[in-house]
Amino acid sequence: MLDRAVTPPRPPRLRRPPGAALAAAAALLGALPAGAHAWSTPTPIDQAVRTAPVTVGGDAAGNAFAVLAGAGGDVPLLLAERPATNPPPGGAPLTWTGSEPMPGGIPEFTTSSPSVDAVAAAGGGEGSGAIAVRNRDGAGNLMTLLLRDPGRRFADPITVAGTKLGRLGEPVLAMSAAGTTVLAFTASRNGSRRVTAAGRLTGNRLGGTRTLSAAGAGTPAAAVGPGERAFVAWARGTRLEVSRFDADVRPLKAVTLGRALRGTPVAAAGSAAGAVVAWVGADRTVRAARRAASGRFGPARVVAPAGPGLRRLIAAIDPAGLATLAWLEGTGAATSLAVATLRPGAAPRVTRPASGAGLGPPGIAGRPSGGAVLAWAAPAGWSSVRSDAKGVFQTVAVVDPGAPAWRERPFVLAGPASRVDVLWIEPTADRPGAQTLTESSEVDQPSG
């Protein structure tokens, strides 16, 4: 698969003492021009977790939550939360609470980490959220979904699919600010792999699981765009296909958007102002199609010319409809992180903010104040760059110096206002085998 990349393991990096972190941050700030951003000293959220499964979700108001697996085999799947308002007694807004076992009444399927091998999360407006959990189950898998509407706690898991569908792929979740939710995944049985999905409007019951594709489909991407209309896209052979959902979150017949390279990664993003789906075309160019407010997709456009080893494609879109794509290309010292900005009605603009060996896959989020923020692992440390409302990217900043030991995609949150957060996993000092989920944040600083 094109979106798979093997990175040589690096020696563990233990958390530096606070004094060293502050000294490093001071040295970094002294080298930056006036008006640069200042990242906070990294803060641990939980110091007794594993590297997988783990995921983070959040909304533009700053509400966030993390799903974590305890470091011990008898420690359940955990939920940590960061409320933007109404914090618990003694807490403060935008401060993480302690981790607690995930809600659920069937321990082997919902709270026992050994059987859980994949999770996904998505945040909507006013603290709403969704968590998808895939569990190992004999000859197949069990897929469950936990939902939270504004002002409520996560409800107990809903069973979405079980062993009758065979082997289930990793869950893909999308949730709008208004709470419209779609969950998509592949289901393989008797050598046939198809894309399946279920969705719901906020406050409603989850709809039934529907098969969207013919056999031979790849990993899907999902998004919710204007008018609360969701869609799921995937590659099948040399075609990029998409199924749009109606106003009741029921899937429509799949259509072909364009030709695709076999095994292409697919990315999608949506907001109330627009939606986009991106993939690698049969000619190895990066392509994208926008979805109009009417619900129809426009023609596929070439975003970037053909490049070697395109992989780890991701997408984000801001409240004004400015879309941002990012991906890795090349190998070894010739590896680069490419970023494309797609303004409505304008030609795509491609930049490469990082290059060289040792780059990890990027994470991305659309900023509520406009533009996007990206983060990735690099030999110099966890790094980040943000764009403004016009899609102009600023100088790359080092979030946390030192070579990251965990080379997978970091988690990126944006909001409230101009605040952005980067979260990652690193080894826990003095606790062999345990990992720490760590967060650092920054807020726009005035120039001058």
Side-chain angles (χ1 to χ4, degrees):
M1 294 293 292
L2 289 176
D3 59 349
R4 297 282 183 181
V6 178
T7 305
R10 292 180 177 268
R13 180 171 66 92
L14 301 182
R15 164 60 50 207
R16 299 182 305 278
L22 290 173
L28 177 64
L29 288 174
L32 294 177
H37 306 295
W39 284 91
S40 66
T41 300
T43 302
I45 295 171
D46 192 309
Q47 297 177 293
V49 299
R50 292 187 291 161
T51 56
V54 57
T55 190
V56 176
D59 65 20
N63 297 291
F65 57 93
V67 181
L68 310 164
D74 58 345
V75 178
L77 201 63
L78 303 169
L79 177 66
E81 302 209 50
R82 190 187 75 181
T85 57
N86 299 321
L94 300 177
T95 299
W96 287 89
T97 64
S99 301
E100 297 182 352
M102 286 268 287
I106 311 175
E108 64 269 27
F109 287 153
T110 60
T111 62
S112 178
S113 55
S115 69
V116 176
D117 61 359
V119 293
E126 301 180 31
S128 58
I131 300 170
V133 180
R134 184 184 69 179
N135 301 265
R136 295 187 298 271
D137 184 21
N141 302 101
L142 181 72
M143 187 75 71
T144 59
L145 181 65
L146 295 86
L147 295 165
R148 178 171 66 188
D149 288 330
R152 300 186 179 183
R153 298 175 62 87
F154 276 103
D156 284 350
I158 302 167
T159 298
V160 179
T163 55
K164 289 184 178 180
L165 291 181
R167 292 289 180 182
L168 307 180
E170 294 191 4
V172 175
L173 267 175
M175 192 175 200
S176 73
T180 299
T181 306
V182 61
L183 166 63
F185 50 91
T186 57
S188 302
R189 191 171 184 83
N190 299 325
S192 175
R193 185 172 61 182
R194 304 170 189 267
V195 173
T196 58
R200 72 150 197 166
L201 294 172
T202 184
N204 290 6
R205 294 175 60 89
L206 184 72
T209 302
R210 307 284 187 91
T211 299
L212 307 185
S213 77
T219 301
V224 182
E228 298 303 303
R229 298 297 182 94
F231 67 88
V232 176
W234 62 88
R236 188 170 66 88
T238 58
R239 290 188 289 264
L240 194 286
E241 299 177 334
V242 62
S243 175
R244 295 173 294 147
F245 287 63
D246 65 17
D248 295 316
V249 202
R250 295 176 301 197
L252 305 176
K253 183 179 180 181
V255 298
T256 299
L257 287 187
R259 290 180 57 78
L261 187 68
R262 289 184 181 274
T264 175
V266 183
S271 73
V276 65
V277 60
W279 68 96
V280 180
D283 57 358
R284 297 183 181 274
T285 60
V286 178
R287 293 177 173 260
R290 277 189 173 273
R291 184 176 183 179
S294 65
R296 294 186 176 277
F297 281 92
R301 301 176 61 189
V302 174
V303 173
L310 292 170
R311 61 194 184 277
R312 301 289 192 162
L313 179 65
I314 54 175
I317 196 163
D318 74 7
L322 173 69
T324 305
L325 310 179
W327 64 90
L328 292 177
E329 60 184 37
T331 58
T335 301
S336 64
L337 169 64
V339 181
T341 302
L342 287 67
R343 296 180 63 186
R349 179 171 52 197
V350 179
T351 59
R352 287 175 170 77
S355 61
L359 296 181
I364 193 171
R367 301 176 61 202
S369 57
V373 56
L374 289 91
W376 63 93
W382 292 102
S383 303
S384 179
V385 67
R386 66 166 78 189
S387 66
D388 60 20
K390 295 182 179 180
V392 177
F393 278 91
Q394 301 164 359
T395 304
V396 173
V398 176
V399 177
D400 187 32
W406 192 65
R407 308 294 294 181
E408 286 304 306
R409 195 189 310 276
F411 305 103
V412 183
L413 301 172
S418 61
R419 172 176 168 141
V420 294
D421 300 88
V422 175
L423 300 93
W424 65 90
I425 289 285
E426 63 179 41
T428 303
D430 303 323
R431 294 196 62 175
Q435 306 292 318
T436 296
L437 177 63
T438 305
E439 175 192 56
S440 183
S441 62
E442 72 165 1
V443 179
D444 277 332
Q445 301 294 325
S447 299

